[in-house]
Amino acid sequence: MNTTPSGAPRRATITDVAREAGTGKTSISRYLNGEMSVMSPELRSRIEAAIARLDYQPNQMARGLKRGRNRLIGMLLADLTNPYTVEVLQGVEAACHALGLMPLICHAANEVEMERRYLQLLTTYRVEGVIVNALGVGEETLRPVGGGGIPAVLVDRSVDGLVADMVGLDNRAAAELGTRHLLDNGFDEIWFVVQPFAQISSRHLRETAFREAMQAHGDAARGHTLVLDLADAEAVERSLAELDRTIDALAEPAGSNPAGQRGRPGVTAATGGAAAAGSGRVALFAANAPVALCLALHLKARYGAYWQARVALLSIDDPDWAELTGVTTIRQPTYDIGYRAVEFLHERIEGVQTTARDCLLAGELIVRASTSR
Amino acid sequence: MNTTPSGAPRRATITDVAREAGTGKTSISRYLNGEMSVMSPELRSRIEAAIARLDYQPNQMARGLKRGRNRLIGMLLADLTNPYTVEVLQGVEAACHALGLMPLICHAANEVEMERRYLQLLTTYRVEGVIVNALGVGEETLRPVGGGGIPAVLVDRSVDGLVADMVGLDNRAAAELGTRHLLDNGFDEIWFVVQPFAQISSRHLRETAFREAMQAHGDAARGHTLVLDLADAEAVERSLAELDRTIDALAEPAGSNPAGQRGRPGVTAATGGAAAAGSGRVALFAANAPVALCLALHLKARYGAYWQARVALLSIDDPDWAELTGVTTIRQPTYDIGYRAVEFLHERIEGVQTTARDCLLAGELIVRASTSR
DNA sequence: TTGTAAGCGTTATCAT
DNA sequence: ATGATAACGCTTACAA
């Protein structure tokens, strides 16, 4: 018997089936492609039987080679560790399923080098399109994609100099929503904490919108931006130390800070997670879940299990631990983002030629104990 | 100019390059495959130039078709929502990278139907092997794989009637470790909470080991198993209600329960997360992270933010919210599991014929406030 | 050292 | 209604 290196019997090919059914390859191919209209029921059932007997399964690679399209699309993910990514993926998968596409999932794990490698790999496998949740290091590495290359759609962030459809959160609105919520609940000092945002459009937009919202409220002085470079442990250390100083200062009943205290400073831990609303304490606005997690872990380490009594936390993204810890969040319509991205891509693959589109979806504020009275 | 349906210029083929370099396809192929030993430097540089000029990238599909191997392996995941899965994936990716394999990641999202669909898809793309974190519905759906089919290695769980390598946690040891820890810390009542485990070997092993450990300690009567079918909201409701009754009963100072109370029943919430150790209260032993999350959310909803003062929680798996909430865990060597799985698979692909192997890796107990005094 | 030609498993073209 | 046959882009004897 014909065997492969691993000892398994060779898979049947279309030729085998043709021989088994006593006919030509063409008919088999026709059968496979559902061109049943012109085919004697007799032949048809012979083919059916032969296929069953040989357990034949057409080779997609060969198909793709011949047809010039293989129904494969690439899905390049910056960081699977971020729950956002997994959720978007669910939408992507559902849409792919519906459209008969097969996503090749590539996980760059925050490594720029990986991103390049995978992108190259994807083009080498001749995927028909790519959905990119880029690391955002610039368009050099994305060159082969978009514009003149493979159809592409960006998720969450756009990339400078890369014209392509993009779908993601309405960052302006989301940041405003969060800021206003914090302001409405009487927090005096608000820190927007975000990873380095020069390169990443979504972070940039969120930060800008935050500052503008503070300004619009006539409270620009009480809004601060803290950059937290999660990739650099030392930098994180420094940033958190800066944050600690502010928190400690505000907590001093001595009122050494200009904002002053108008809350109930003696609130005990036992009052619960409903923290500090209207008491003039500080609120942290995390630009995304990884930042929020980092902050929460730090605060817990520094202020103990009941850190939420001292500082409020609001985060864009809604990881599962948010409900558990009572952290307020702005949930992104992640599933829809993924689904939409595939729809866009599919249109492009089918040859749609419109100018690059943006699809901005609204976030939903989920108020929890951390920021509400 | 030659264009594709989406308007992009057609990619250069090996023939184009040959023409451009003024040579034959063979030399190009040789160049691509690094058979430089026998090739005039002159030709070589001409080829180099032609490739660069045309931005040529060999078509992996065609390559695979001809060679009979495409360096693709399937990675079938039961549930990407489970942090365990993502972590295993990291190991898989690293190993694939090292071994020159490309993983096709398929996410069944707990849908048996998806599992089947993907498995079929994978064989249709002629992957050289499959790593399966199966839903465990039995070997019917895994028929095409393992044994006489595509080389396969199982992750986390084995499947009845399917002979294949498998790598995962040393479930016996892990469950014993956790049980002993709980016993050592003086918990009277220990509930092992697990999803339906008839079909899933890892759950089954953990449950069995738990009961045996209780028995070995002469405490079988104080150990209970609670089945939590996360797929069925009503069933979850019922199970949690049963749990609540126990907790409430034990918490009554009246001592209406046989186990009695020897702790400090009046402990205030403010005493912190260091919950209930040695006080005769109940400890929950979650068989995995999804179960732990479900329990934690329920307890929080029922007993408030300081539920940990009333009941201790220990979980196999170490999700990021565990550190945040002070839940004790047994961390699985997830990265190694993934890495090892690929190594096994690679060996099989290369034709290794030994009998099916098991690789059991040890878990690590991470004691946090929830269960320690 | 280099090139020619025959496939790999499909589909598409063109006869019959 | 059915079947040869020639591609698809690549590798690999086999020649030269």
Side-chain angles (χ1 to χ4, degrees), chain A residues 102-181:
Chain A
M102 170 80 175
L104 291 196
I105 299 164
C106 301
H107 180 203
N110 285 322
E111 306 266 17
V112 191
E113 187 45 38
M114 278 282 133
E115 176 166 285
R116 257 205 355 194
R117 214 178 82 92
Y118 272 129
L119 223 31
Q120 135 94 17
L121 210 55
L122 286 173
T123 92
T124 237
Y125 275 104
R126 295 296 187 272
V127 295
E128 298 184 36
V130 196
I131 298 178
V132 188
N133 175 219
L135 288 177
V137 208
E139 58 91 33
E140 320 83 71
T141 124
L142 293 176
R143 186 69 49 82
V145 136
I150 306 174
V153 8
L154 270 16
V155 157
D156 184 67
R157 12 164 169 306
S158 51
V159 173
D160 271 2
L162 205 256
V163 293
D165 295 336
M166 110 109 204
V167 20
L169 178 67
D170 184 340
N171 290 296
R172 286 206 62 77
E176 276 170 27
L177 186 62
T179 308
R180 212 163 330 117
H181 170 73

Side-chain angles (χ1 to χ4, degrees), chain B residues 127-158:
Chain B
V127 295
E128 298 183 36
V130 197
I131 298 178
V132 188
N133 174 220
L135 287 177
V137 208
E139 61 90 32
E140 321 83 70
T141 125
L142 293 176
R143 185 69 49 82
V145 137
I150 306 175
V153 8
L154 269 17
V155 158
D156 185 66
R157 11 166 169 303
S158 51

Side-chain angles (χ1 to χ4, degrees), chain A residues 48-94:
Chain A
E48 222 147 35
I51 287 183
R53 226 167 311 140
L54 269 45
D55 186 29
Y56 168 68
Q57 300 191 262
N59 182 330
Q60 289 294 352
M61 297 303 179
R63 268 184 187 217
L65 183 57
K66 181 64 194 165
R67 290 218 266 226
R69 48 181 1 203
N70 51 22
R71 311 274 68 196
L72 255 29
I73 68 170
M75 169 90 240
L76 190 50
L77 302 173
D79 180 17
L80 258 176
T81 263
N82 189 338
Y84 168 84
T85 306
V86 175
E87 291 170 19
V88 168
L89 195 51
Q90 322 241 51
V92 167
E93 284 164 339

Side-chain angles (χ1 to χ4, degrees), chain B residues 68-320:
Chain B
R69 51 181 358 205
N70 52 21
R71 313 273 65 196
L72 255 30
I73 69 169
M75 168 89 244
L76 189 51
L77 301 172
D79 179 17
L80 257 176
T81 262
N82 189 336
Y84 168 85
T85 306
V86 175
E87 291 170 17
V88 168
L89 194 51
Q90 323 241 49
V92 167
E93 284 165 339
C96 281
H97 188 173
L99 294 170
L101 296 169
M102 170 81 175
L104 291 195
I105 299 164
C106 301
H107 180 202
N110 286 321
E111 305 267 16
V112 191
E113 187 47 36
M114 279 282 133
E115 175 165 286
R116 256 205 354 194
R117 215 178 80 90
Y118 272 129
L119 224 30
Q120 136 95 19
L121 210 55
L122 286 173
T123 91
T124 233
Y125 276 105
R126 297 295 188 273
V127 295
E128 298 183 36
V130 197
I131 298 178
V132 188
N133 174 220
L135 287 177
V137 208
E139 61 90 32
E140 321 83 70
T141 125
L142 293 176
R143 185 69 49 82
V145 137
I150 306 175
V153 8
L154 269 17
V155 158
D156 185 66
R157 11 166 169 303
S158 51
V159 174
D160 271 2
L162 202 259
V163 292
D165 296 335
M166 110 108 203
V167 20
L169 178 68
D170 184 340
N171 290 296
R172 287 206 61 77
E176 276 171 26
L177 185 62
T179 309
R180 212 162 332 117
H181 169 73
L182 259 16
L183 255 11
D184 288 350
N185 280 64
F187 288 99
D188 274 345
E189 204 77 10
I190 304 183
W191 285 74
F192 187 82
V193 190
V194 57
Q195 290 169 275
F197 54 87
Q199 308 273 8
I200 313 271
S201 68
S202 52
R203 295 178 191 158
H204 192 80
L205 285 167
R206 291 171 195 180
E207 200 274 338
T208 303
F210 163 72
R211 275 192 293 101
E212 291 181 0
M214 291 300 288
Q215 213 138 27
H217 192 268
D219 261 334
R222 276 146 51 176
H224 311 95
T225 292
L226 183 71
V227 174
L228 204 58
D229 185 354
L230 294 180
D232 178 347
E234 284 183 32
V236 167
E237 212 58 52
R238 281 194 303 277
S239 301
L240 292 177
E242 185 182 349
L243 200 57
D244 291 340
R245 281 192 295 279
T246 305
I247 297 174
D248 292 345
L250 272 177
E252 306 276 6
S256 63
N257 58 80
Q261 291 283 121
R262 62 170 191 270
R264 341 147 249 175
V267 62
T268 73
T271 28
S279 67
R281 269 208 248 24
V282 44
L284 269 29
F285 188 166
N288 65 13
V291 165
L293 182 63
C294 175
L295 289 173
L297 285 171
H298 170 74
L299 294 170
K300 193 215 164 201
R302 186 155 211 270
Y303 300 106
Y306 308 130
W307 56 271
Q308 301 217 52
R310 285 194 134 230
V311 40
L313 181 55
L314 162 61
S315 173
I316 291 184
D317 285 343
D318 184 51
D320 49 16

